[in-house]
Amino acid sequence: MLVNPTRGFLWSDAETRALLTIWGEQDVQTALDGNFRNSHVYRDVASRLGDMGYDRTPDQCRIRVKSLKRQYYQAKDAFTKNNGQYRKLCKFFEEMERILSNRPTVDPQEMIDSVAVGDEMMDGTEEEGEGTEQSSDSYMPSATDYAEHPVKIEYPSYTIPVTVGSVPVKPINAQTRTTPSTSSCRPSRRGRKRVASLPLDKLLERFLEQSADAEENFYKMEEQRLHQDERRREAEHARELHMLHVLGQIFGGIADSSGGSRGGTAAAAANVSATPMQSAPSPTPMSVHVAPASSSWSRIRSQHSRQQRQHGTVSPLRHHLPDHGLETVPVIERSFSLGSSAHSMENTLQLVKNIIPPLTSKKHKGQDGRIGIIGGCQEYTGAPYFAAIAALKVGADLSHVFCTKDAATVIKSYSPELIVHPVLDSPNAVEEIEKWLPRLHALVVGPGLGREDLLLKTAKDVIEKSKARDIPIIIDADGLWLVAKQPSVIQGYKKGILTPNFMEFSRLYEALHQEPLDSTDHHRNAQQLSIAMGNLTVVLKGEEDLITDGNMVLTCTQEGSGRRCGGQGDLLSGSLGAFAHWAFSASDATKKCSSVNPSLVAAFGAASLTRQCNRQAFHKHGRSTTTTDMIQEISTAFKKLFES
């Protein structure tokens, strides 16, 4: 099912003010002046609105500006006549006055009598040929407005001699003559007086009502057209999927026959490679690669990695084979693609949307997530706060922070929404935290934990207790230092998720493989680390976030920014705690993401959200962006990605 990102046509006050803020900027007004072809300007305006969280097309922006300008000039005319009704005619009069006060003015009566030239006379900024279109909401005066009175013309009397044959007839005096009356075509005196007696504000009110009706009809027709286009795209998509299904069967038959001639081992490898195809959403078979030796496999592997480095692309990967097997066993790998990267992004985001719980009045506090944060010491108090508040902002109901006694007061002062437990450095810390584990839905270990042996030992014991309760565990920051020292603490736990940056990833990789990291192929390195950790989900943060469980790789390239301030990883890990709870709950209850590992879906959602927050905050604050600014953008970013 294709997702139609087009929103409704009614504009809220917040959207309209955001549009006026952008449209009134000096660079936009400069670009509009003297340009008859301005579609690129409104594309830029729509793009800036999108960055602020409002999804509008360039045509919608242009039509809205045109309507606002018409209302402004009507209101300004009413203001000059001191009838006190101008504020009812234009709700955004002050904003428009600030923008248009220094621009060439237009006779408001001209706006009423004719819309054919409307906005072109204001600033000449409309698209070429637009001025010749007759607007459906223009005001057309009735015939009674122009009915003329009969004109009486008098002439001096004179004698007209008349003869009938030879007999003269009495002369006729010419009397005053009157031009033919137009009473047959003019309206009754009563109707004419009624129309003539209407004041200007009543006429304007009637005009605005007619304009609103015409605009509503236009929007309804536009909605119908968009729905028809959507149905057409869905039909085309269904036909494409059918064709691709047929092609998949053909390629499958070719691969099966090839596997039979090469022996049982190659056939088994083909079956293993085809398994991800059945679980991936809407796969499209593209090609079949046959590599008889390890050198050919390396070359194909690198080509495949380059092709798959697009955001949201699902890369089915063959199961891990021993290195010595690559020397003798032919490997058959099938490459699949979801289509364009945009479609892949939409398909993957749709999986995330499926796991987000709806907000209903029947729920109780804590049902949408109770997240625990293990971390926070005297030196590091910001990291656990960022993780805990991010979980709340995403949609979790409660956030618990288990920190040291020195850090508790500081963390609590950051926000009253957090539940802070100063027990992490107490002698019975594990017992104190274990009492809360039955109430928690997910655990985030590492933000602000520090590297003291006592705290690391407590964190290790808490992880063991949480594994016994089958709680999703996200490990970040100093928690990854613990995993690098003792991989067995989380190794093989299917609900474990690691979120390393490049330096933390290098430390983990070298600790497990006892060899330096080869930085030429991050996809392969992330997959190998996941397999070595027992198919744990690994989120390698970087220019492109790589997410893998050893069998499948997701690449998230949601646009962010070049700003890398401290605390962004904590925002990711905290939000991932909420997403992990939702993903595993949805998988257990309704099998919504049974085709993909729930950890992958949760990690993709958290990574996309973090990058979108970074982009929006950078758009507002630039080089001054901090994690606090990003947290303020969680609401609009979440709505833009998952609720639009």
Side-chain angles (χ1 to χ4, degrees):
M1 183 72 177
L2 292 177
V3 177
N4 183 10
T6 305
R7 301 177 53 197
F9 288 88
L10 297 181
W11 287 72
S12 66
D13 291 349
E15 285 180 297
T16 302
R17 288 190 172 89
L19 173 65
L20 290 176
T21 299
I22 298 172
W23 181 71
E25 292 179 359
Q26 184 64 34
D27 59 334
V28 175
Q29 292 296 313
T30 302
L32 287 173
D33 286 336
N35 289 314
F36 289 93
R37 303 194 63 86
N38 54 32
S39 57
H40 64 284
V41 180
Y42 283 101
R43 282 197 296 270
D44 181 62
V45 172
S47 175
R48 298 191 192 181
L49 270 180
D51 293 338
M52 298 175 69
Y54 302 115
D55 201 3
R56 290 291 180 178
T57 64
D59 284 340
Q60 290 175 345
C61 296
R62 182 179 61 80
I63 293 172
R64 183 57 175 162
V65 169
K66 185 175 181 178
S67 176
L68 290 171
K69 288 196 292 185
R70 184 174 62 249
Q71 295 174 16
Y72 165 77
Y73 283 108
Q74 294 164 359
K76 191 168 184 180
D77 178 70
F79 175 76
T80 58
K81 296 182 179 180
N82 296 323
N83 60 12
Q85 300 294 325
Y86 73 97
R87 291 186 179 274
K88 296 182 180 179
L89 301 178
C90 183
K91 186 175 184 179
F92 305 95
F93 183 87
E94 286 79 7
E95 290 86 346
M96 296 295 294
E97 177 71 11
R98 176 179 54 83
I99 299 172
L100 298 178
S101 58
N102 296 326
R103 298 177 59 83
T105 59
V106 175
D107 183 7
Q109 186 63 34
E110 186 177 356
M111 290 290 299
I112 300 173
D113 293 339
S114 176
V115 185
V117 293
D119 292 335
E120 287 73 16
M121 295 188 63
M122 296 178 194
D123 53 13
T125 59
E126 297 300 322
E127 192 73 18
E128 182 177 348
E130 179 184 324
T132 61
E133 298 176 1
Q134 185 66 26
S135 174
S136 61
D137 61 352
S138 60
Y139 173 76
M140 297 299 296
S142 62
T144 59
D145 295 337
Y146 298 98
E148 297 181 357
H149 297 283
V151 180
K152 187 175 182 180
I153 306 176
E154 296 184 354
Y155 300 92
S157 301
Y158 60 93
T159 302
I160 302 176
V162 180
T163 59
V164 178
S166 60
V167 180
V169 183
K170 183 179 179 179
I172 301 175
N173 291 330
Q175 302 296 327
T176 302
R177 301 193 177 214
T178 304
T179 57
S181 174
T182 58
S183 59
S184 60
C185 61
R186 73 168 181 260
S188 65
R189 181 179 301 275
R190 181 179 180 182
R192 176 159 45 85
K193 287 184 177 180
R194 183 174 64 253
V195 173
S197 62
L198 288 177
L200 179 61
D201 57 345
K202 295 294 184 181
L203 292 175
L204 290 176
E205 183 178 356
R206 181 183 299 179
F207 166 69
L208 291 177
E209 291 176 356
Q210 295 176 355
S211 299
D213 293 340
E215 189 172 4
E216 183 178 359
N217 293 333
F218 169 76
Y219 289 155
K220 290 180 180 179
M221 295 176 60
E222 189 69 11
E223 287 281 7
Q224 294 176 359
R225 184 185 65 80
L226 292 174
H227 289 320
Q228 292 176 357
D229 291 344
E230 181 181 1
R231 288 193 293 269
R232 176 181 55 79
R233 289 194 298 268
E234 290 177 356
E236 293 178 353
H237 184 65
R239 287 195 297 269
E240 292 175 357
L241 289 180
H242 177 70
M243 295 176 61
L244 294 174
H245 178 70
V246 174
L247 289 175
Q249 293 178 343
I250 295 174
F251 282 121
I254 296 175
D256 292 340
S257 61
S258 175
S261 62
R262 291 177 178 273
T265 304
N271 290 333
V272 170
S273 179
T275 301
M277 176 190 66
Q278 300 170 359
S279 61
S282 304
T284 304
M286 298 299 293
S287 59
V288 177
H289 303 290
V290 180
S294 60
S295 59
S296 299
W297 160 253
S298 300
R299 176 176 53 82
I300 295 173
R301 179 69 229 179
S302 61
Q303 294 175 354
H304 178 73
S305 299
R306 287 194 299 270
Q307 295 172 356
Q308 297 298 333
R309 288 174 186 175
Q310 299 177 0
H311 62 277
T313 302
V314 180
S315 305
L317 302 172
R318 65 177 181 83
H319 283 221
H320 179 66
L321 296 177
D323 292 339
H324 59 79
L326 295 176
E327 300 295 334
T328 57
V329 180
V331 178
I332 299 179
E333 183 187 79
R334 296 182 185 178
S335 301
F336 302 95
S337 171
L338 292 175
S340 68
S341 59
H343 288 169
S344 302
M345 194 71 173
E346 288 295 333
N347 290 335
T348 311
L349 286 177
Q350 186 60 46
L351 293 177
V352 181
K353 294 178 182 179
N354 290 340
I355 68 172
I356 297 175
L359 298 176
T360 66
S361 58
K362 297 180 180 180
K363 290 186 175 180
H364 55 79
K365 181 176 65 176
Q367 190 170 348
D368 280 344
R370 297 184 291 269
I371 312 302
I373 311 296
I374 306 297
C377 59
Q378 185 176 7
E379 293 85 1
Y380 306 111
T381 58
Y385 161 74
F386 287 142
I389 201 67
L392 284 179
K393 290 284 189 179
V394 166
D397 292 336
L398 296 171
S399 283
H400 295 259
V401 178
F402 300 91
C403 62
T404 64
K405 184 177 180 180
D406 294 336
T409 304
V410 179
I411 297 174
K412 187 66 176 178
S413 68
Y414 292 152
S415 173
E417 287 89 358
L418 305 182
I419 304 173
V420 182
H421 307 269
V423 299
L424 194 57
D425 55 349
S426 62
N428 58 340
V430 178
E431 291 77 9
E432 290 292 333
I433 298 175
E434 186 179 8
K435 293 188 302 185
W436 289 92
L437 291 181
R439 309 183 189 182
L440 300 181
H441 294 126
L443 198 67
V444 181
V445 181
L449 179 63
R451 298 181 182 178
E452 294 184 12
D453 293 338
L454 176 61
L455 300 181
L456 292 176
K457 182 179 184 304
T458 300
K460 176 185 176 182
D461 294 339
V462 172
I463 291 174
E464 295 293 345
K465 299 290 184 181
S466 302
K467 287 165 56 179
R469 293 187 173 275
D470 200 33
I471 300 175
I473 302 174
I474 294 90
I475 300 182
D476 185 38
D478 293 324
L480 296 172
W481 174 272
L482 172 62
V483 174
K485 298 297 182 182
Q486 303 179 50
S488 60
V489 69
I490 196 66
Q491 194 169 23
Y493 185 56
K494 297 303 181 182
K495 292 188 177 182
I497 304 175
L498 308 181
T499 59
N501 57 29
F502 182 75
M503 293 302 298
E504 294 163 341
F505 180 85
S506 302
R507 188 186 304 118
L508 284 170
Y509 186 91
E510 293 172 2
L512 289 169
H513 293 84
Q514 303 299 321
E515 62 180 16
L517 175 66
D518 181 13
S519 60
T520 58
D521 192 347
H522 293 316
H523 287 70
R524 179 175 178 273
N525 295 335
Q527 181 201 5
Q528 287 183 347
L529 178 61
S530 175
I531 294 172
M533 290 297 297
N535 290 98
L536 253 68
T537 298
V538 176
V539 182
L540 175 55
K541 298 175 289 190
E543 181 180 3
E544 298 177 350
D545 293 339
L546 302 180
I547 308 166
T548 179
D549 60 355
N551 298 321
M552 184 178 294
V553 176
L554 301 179
T555 305
C556 177
T557 56
Q558 180 75 28
E559 184 179 355
S561 75
R563 177 66 170 150
R564 293 292 183 269
C565 54
Q568 296 186 47
D570 305 310
L571 191 156
L572 170 65
S573 61
S575 60
L576 181 51
F579 276 106
H581 164 56
W582 296 342
F584 283 105
S585 297
S587 178
D588 295 339
T590 61
K591 306 298 181 183
K592 286 184 179 179
C593 55
S594 58
S595 61
V596 181
N597 185 345
S599 296
L600 292 178
V601 178
F604 189 88
S608 301
L609 179 65
T610 303
R611 299 173 76 93
Q612 180 66 22
C613 290
N614 182 263
R615 176 191 179 190
Q616 293 182 192
F618 185 80
H619 179 74
K620 293 182 179 179
H621 304 282
R623 193 175 291 272
S624 301
T625 301
T626 63
T627 303
T628 302
D629 301 323
M630 293 175 57
I631 289 175
Q632 300 303 319
E633 300 296 326
I634 290 179
S635 175
T636 55
F638 191 96
K639 182 181 296 185
K640 182 178 181 64
L641 290 176
F642 308 125
E643 295 180 346
S644 61

